[in-house]
Amino acid sequence: MNITGIKGMNDILPGEMATWHFLEQQAHRIFQTYGFGEIRVPVVEKTELFCRSIGETTDIVEKEMYTFDDRSGNSLTLRPEGTAPVMRAFIEHKLHNQDSVTKLYYQGPMFRYERPQKGRYRQFHQIGAEVIGVDDPKIDAQVLAMLSHYFSAVGIQDVALHINSLGCKECRPDYRQALIDYLQKHLAGLCGDCQRRYQTNPLRVLDCKVPACREATATAPAMLENLCRVCEDHFSQVKSHLQGLAIPYTVNARMVRGLDYYSKTTFEMVTNSLGSQNAVAAGGRYDGLIADLGGPALPGIGFAIGVERLVLMKNAESLAVRRLPLFLATMGKSAADRAFLLMVSLQNQGLSVEMEYAGKSLKSQMRRAAKFGARYALILGEEELSREVAVLRNMDEGSQQELSLTGIEARLLQICSAEPAGPTAD
Ligand code: HAM
């Protein structure tokens, strides 16, 4: 039996790569414009890092982590997200000594043992960004401005920004208790999962998709109505900065994030085009996380974009398909041998060229050239070879010209490199 890939872990094939590269390149370009520097951290970390940051009672830590012992018996985990590893690296390398504000971005695979479905995988990719050291609400708005800028640069319109505040360690405990009291009275209406977790992680009950739970919590108290003065002021400033920047948003008081490190502002970019996996990007503030991990008491805020979800949304056809500049079509063995040398030499000089090796008919070679989207096809047969010429066909116009084989490399480089290639951005 064939060995197959692992369920929920996808191969990304060459045909999809142009979209991936485009999405990644736009992130590099835009995030660097906003002053972010790229960081790369390992895909494996000590398990304890995720338990302490994401929270012991979250779905991720309770049931979604890929955790194993290495050969020395250390418990390691494939990273389920990027914020905790980046904060671990920030603390370990004392990056706060370099500047009072640190802006980092990252990209790469994350791993969660979730039930795979469209838009939800066990290995998926995130592009994320984090700002450490500023608690001013302006930075919340700036991070959201950068995220919106990214979405418009990659041509995604069908997204809406939902924001909420989850309070801080001053106001959340009282709210949490009020919510537990409420849920206790409505326990019979909750699903099994929520009956189990309402005391350990009551906020998650608000996020449960089971209709009975939604009904039972319809009149539950909301964190937004129970914020302390500091959090309320922070949230109203975030909203007014967003208005100032003309970034549309919806306040969603029921939005609860699946990670415990959040405080104050949280947000999601949601879409209607992906069914139930509707969050394309998400994030928020985590003012206590760095201190909880043993670092300095510095605030932080960031987000992560789900790249697979973006790729699903991005209509691949809307990106200009990468076209091949030149295809070599030959007839006869000596023409094929000569074309082979020409192809390798042109490739060496930076031109993308393909040819047919299998001695197919000219018609079938031209079909293959068209499949590559070739702009030009160079036709070389025994007859042309005897005259030391080749025929260059412009595939878009159907026009042809004869080129002398003497000096043909320079001519082809000049003609074929003049064409634009690759997806167009913005
Ligand atoms: P998250 O909401 O867990 O947040 O994930 C962020 C995004 O990753 C989601 O909105 C979604 O697009 C994508 N995503 C999550 N799980 C999957 C999956 N199983 N398959 C495909 N895509 C998925 C975080 O990870 C936080 N670290 C974000 C953050 C950064 N907060 C502050 N800074």
Side-chain angles (χ1 to χ4, degrees):
M1 213 177 77
N2 288 341
I3 300 171
T4 57
I6 297 166
K7 191 176 168 197
M9 303 201 181
N10 301 316
D11 300 309
I12 306 161
L13 301 175
E16 305 159 74
M17 226 52 234
T19 308
W20 281 78
H21 284 158
F22 171 69
L23 296 172
E24 290 162 3
Q25 280 156 9
Q26 292 302 308
H28 289 299
R29 183 177 71 79
I30 292 167
F31 295 2
Q32 285 174 19
T33 307
Y34 284 76
F36 287 70
E38 186 177 4
I39 183 165
R40 295 190 185 184
V41 291
V43 290
V44 191
E45 297 275 352
K46 291 180 182 162
T47 302
E48 192 194 347
L49 173 69
F50 300 113
C51 298
R52 258 168 64 189
S53 54
I54 298 171
E56 297 277 2
T57 60
T58 57
D59 281 356
I60 295 179
V61 171
E62 274 186 353
K63 47 191 185 191
E64 294 172 1
M65 295 205 304
Y66 281 89
T67 296
F68 57 95
D69 284 352
D70 71 6
R71 288 173 190 274
S72 312
N74 304 307
S75 179
L76 304 181
T77 293
L78 293 183
R79 62 182 183 194
E81 60 104 49
T83 309
V86 168
M87 292 313 125
R88 194 264 313 136
F90 170 83
I91 297 166
E92 198 168 327
H93 300 286
K94 300 191 170 51
L95 296 185
H96 52 277
N97 288 341
Q98 294 178 11
D99 193 8
S100 56
V101 183
T102 309
K103 298 184 195 171
L104 302 168
Y105 76 97
Y106 53 91
Q107 57 173 325
M110 309 290 160
F111 304 85
R112 296 184 194 175
Y113 192 80
E114 293 195 80
R115 200 165 43 78
Q117 61 178 78
K118 183 181 164 206
R120 189 167 68 196
Y121 309 105
R122 290 181 174 170
Q123 174 179 300
F124 59 97
H125 295 74
Q126 287 186 342
I127 298 176
E130 316 286 350
V131 183
I132 304 146
V134 196
D135 55 14
D136 191 303
K138 280 200 272 304
I139 208 80
D140 304 35
Q142 204 202 347
V143 161
L144 289 167
M146 182 170 88
L147 187 59
S148 306
H149 182 171
Y150 178 78
F151 274 96
S152 65
V154 299
I156 300 239
Q157 267 116 34
D158 176 25
V159 278
L161 172 64
H162 286 193
I163 60 170
N164 191 15
S165 175
L166 291 181
C168 65
K169 57 178 185 300
E170 296 302 319
C171 50
R172 185 124 38 106
D174 285 350
Y175 167 68
R176 194 173 177 278
Q177 193 51 54
L179 185 59
I180 292 176
D181 294 346
Y182 172 92
L183 294 172
Q184 208 145 30
K185 290 187 205 118
H186 296 79
L187 214 50
L190 301 181
C191 73
D193 261 357
C194 288
Q195 289 188 354
R196 184 180 54 78
R197 70 183 164 192
Y198 89 97
Q199 284 206 320
T200 51
N201 204 340
L203 269 75
R204 289 300 292 173
V205 179
L206 297 179
D207 200 33
C208 183
K209 304 278 183 304
V210 175
C213 293
R214 297 205 81 82
E215 207 175 299
T217 56
T219 54
M223 183 70 241
L224 265 191
E225 288 146 21
N226 292 274
L227 296 177
C228 61
R229 281 273 300 282
V230 176
C231 288
E232 199 178 305
D233 183 48
H234 187 99
F235 194 55
S236 75
Q237 285 193 54
V238 172
K239 288 187 290 185
S240 86
H241 289 311
L242 288 176
Q243 280 153 22
L245 292 168
I247 297 175
Y249 62 86
T250 304
V251 174
N252 179 352
R254 287 185 77 95
M255 191 180 75
V256 178
R257 307 277 299 115
L259 306 104
D260 278 357
Y261 51 61
Y262 290 114
S263 58
K264 293 186 180 155
T265 318
T266 51
F267 52 86
E268 285 186 354
M269 283 281 195
V270 295
T271 176
N272 289 320
S273 59
L274 287 181
S276 59
Q277 304 311 313
N278 66 349
V280 202
R285 222 170 226 296
Y286 43 86
D287 289 350
L289 176 61
I290 297 167
D292 285 350
L293 291 175
L298 289 172
I301 179 167
F303 62 78
I305 301 164
V307 185
E308 279 80 359
R309 294 186 188 177
L310 215 54
V311 171
L312 281 173
M313 285 182 77
K314 190 84 210 128
N315 179 353
E317 278 76 37
S318 76
L319 288 172
V321 178
R322 208 182 87 81
R323 295 186 64 183
L324 183 74
L326 180 64
F327 186 89
L328 305 185
T330 62
M331 280 160 299
K333 183 177 176 313
S334 33
D337 289 350
R338 182 76 176 258
F340 176 67
L341 295 179
L342 180 62
M343 176 180 78
V344 176
S345 175
L346 288 170
Q347 286 168 335
N348 248 316
Q349 294 173 76
L351 192 71
S352 256
V353 189
E354 294 286 340
M355 70 176 281
E356 179 63 62
Y357 302 93
K360 299 253 174 69
S361 70
L362 184 63
K363 205 169 152 195
S364 110
Q365 293 185 61
M366 294 313 273
R367 266 204 305 272
R368 192 137 176 263
K371 210 172 112 193
F372 279 115
R375 291 178 191 280
Y376 291 95
L378 189 78
I379 303 160
L380 186 63
E382 301 295 334
E383 191 270 326
E384 284 84 7
L385 200 57
S386 69
R387 293 194 290 120
E388 279 292 306
V389 295
V391 175
L392 184 67
R393 177 182 295 181
N394 181 322
M395 298 289 280
D396 295 332
E397 294 167 8
S399 58
Q400 299 196 158
Q401 57 175 310
E402 237 178 43
L403 299 180
S404 163
L405 286 180
T406 317
I408 196 168
E409 285 185 20
R411 280 292 284 141
L412 289 173
L413 284 170
Q414 186 191 22
I415 298 172
C416 303
S417 310
E419 299 290 344
T424 45
D426 275 9

